[in-house]
């Protein structure tokens, strides 16, 4: 099984929706592949958190049937007090409620971008404190780029700016915004820069700084780029400008 098909099956795997043969194949892949095992642990933790930590509210009947229509299911009678077992639906409901609430509050926050920005910060921090900064340690862009073949369904553009003081040190597959993404890792002096790259039609509206980290975001040729680091804003912008050229 390839990483791509394993990652595509992670959610149904965690939800116990796969038949025994597929579940065994995924399990075998997770035993052998660190990157997918990491994605699995993160997703499983999110699933558990949603089940245990997120507050639950009974959705009004009308909202529930609208959501069910959107996800392409006929509304079925759910007995009162029965827990919603699919965390994906629970997440959808939570997002719908939170989006509606924020709209009512007329908040100026850009919710989608903020949520992804928070995920980016979490991934960045985990990569720094954990043992998972790099799946492919290499300063050679010609090694890093082909490494993503078969692990992602797109080919990230990998550049090196060692001459300008931004040294490529490698890459890994990370999990952001409900999909596996490329994380390219650079160093500027002692500072680590994670550059996340994934296909997207328009630029993510993320803040310039989150939780003490600077973010530089751009969209180019149908790809979203988000650089994050504790590096100062000016130098991180310089990195973004070099990349965009
Ligand atoms: Zn894998």
């Amino acid at each position: 099984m390839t990483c791509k098909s394993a990652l595509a099956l992670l959610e149904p795997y965690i939800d116990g929706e796969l038949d025994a043969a597929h579940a065994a194949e995924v399990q075998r892949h997770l035993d052998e592949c660190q990157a997918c095992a990491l994605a699995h642990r993160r997703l499983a933790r999110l699933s558990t958190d949603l089940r245990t930590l997120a507050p639950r509210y009974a959705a009004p009947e009308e909202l529930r049937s609208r959501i069910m229509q959107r996800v392409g299911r006929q509304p079925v009678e759910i007995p009162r007090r029965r827990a919603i077992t699919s965390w994906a639906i629970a997440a959808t409901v939570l997002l719908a409620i939170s989006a509606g609430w924020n709209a009512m509050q007329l908040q100026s926050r850009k919710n989608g971008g903020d949520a992804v920005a928070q995920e980016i910060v979490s991934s960045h921090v985990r990569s720094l404190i954990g043992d998972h900064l790099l799946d492919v340690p290499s300063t050679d862009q010609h090694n890093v780029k082909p490494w993503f073949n078969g692990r992602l369904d797109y080919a990230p553009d990998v550049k090196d700016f060692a001459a300008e003081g931004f040294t490529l040190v490698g890459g890994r597959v990370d999990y952001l915004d409900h999909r596996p993404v490329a994380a390219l890792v650079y160093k500027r002096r002692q500072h680590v820069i994670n550059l996340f790259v994934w296909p997207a039609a328009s630029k993510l509206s993320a803040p310039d700084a989150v939780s003490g980290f600077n973010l530089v975001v751009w969209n180019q040729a149908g790809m979203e780029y988000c650089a994050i680091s504790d590096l100062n804003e000016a130098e991180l912008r310089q990195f973004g400008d070099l990349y965009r050229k």
Side-chain angles (χ1 to χ4, degrees):
M1 175 170 279
T2 62
C3 293
K4 198 174 141 188
S5 28
L7 290 168
L9 291 175
L10 271 189
E11 290 191 14
Y13 175 73
I14 288 169
D15 288 340
E17 289 167 357
L18 293 182
D19 60 62
H22 279 99
E25 266 191 76
V26 173
Q27 183 57 55
R28 220 174 10 251
H29 184 84
L30 294 180
D31 289 341
E32 290 162 2
C33 175
Q34 276 196 0
C36 291
L38 179 83
H40 170 251
R41 280 201 299 279
R42 287 183 183 166
L43 207 54
R45 195 168 57 207
L46 174 66
S47 165
T48 313
D49 286 354
L50 276 168
R51 281 180 213 272
T52 56
L53 303 177
R56 276 166 197 256
Y57 307 95
E61 199 51 42
E62 197 205 324
L63 173 64
R64 192 163 70 80
S65 42
R66 276 213 316 265
I67 289 168
M68 288 310 201
Q69 272 167 14
R70 278 229 193 141
V71 299
R73 293 189 201 175
Q74 287 298 318
V76 284
E77 208 44 56
I78 297 181
R80 247 167 215 286
R81 306 187 139 274
R82 198 183 112 190
I84 297 172
T85 49
S86 166
W87 64 273
I89 293 179
T92 312
V93 172
L94 283 170
L95 284 175
I97 290 171
S98 120
W101 172 256
N102 285 327
M104 279 193 309
Q105 299 290 307
L106 292 174
Q107 289 188 354
S108 60
R109 297 177 58 222
K110 301 158 194 118
N111 302 299
D114 281 357
V116 178
Q118 274 304 338
E119 280 189 63
I120 286 168
V121 170
S122 305
S123 292
H124 179 66
V125 171
R126 272 198 303 266
S127 79
L128 298 180
I129 60 178
D131 54 357
H132 198 75
L133 182 60
L134 302 167
D135 284 333
V136 49
S138 173
T139 54
D140 185 348
Q141 69 207 86
H142 304 294
N143 289 340
V144 176
K145 190 178 167 80
W147 180 85
F148 287 105
N149 287 348
R151 292 181 166 89
L152 294 172
D153 55 6
Y154 60 96
D157 203 9
V158 181
K159 300 180 181 179
D160 182 32
F161 303 107
E164 291 85 356
F166 299 95
T167 311
L168 176 70
V169 291
R172 68 178 185 281
V173 172
D174 216 312
Y175 199 86
L176 267 189
D177 202 16
H178 314 291
R179 61 164 306 150
V181 302
L184 306 174
V185 184
Y186 293 83
K187 277 203 172 154
R188 172 79 159 182
R189 300 184 301 275
Q190 79 279 23
H191 303 279
V192 171
I193 302 171
N194 267 293
L195 176 64
F196 297 96
V197 186
W198 70 99
S202 59
K203 182 174 167 280
L204 178 76
S205 57
D208 292 339
V210 182
S211 312
F213 296 102
N214 288 314
L215 264 69
V216 173
V217 180
W218 70 96
N219 189 286
Q220 191 174 38
M223 288 287 185
E224 188 73 39
Y225 293 83
C226 182
I228 179 167
S229 180
D230 62 347
L231 184 65
N232 67 71
E233 195 187 330
E235 283 178 284
L236 194 60
R237 292 212 168 280
Q238 187 196 344
F239 173 76
D241 291 343
L242 283 167
Y243 219 98
R244 242 170 306 190
K245 267 183 201 153

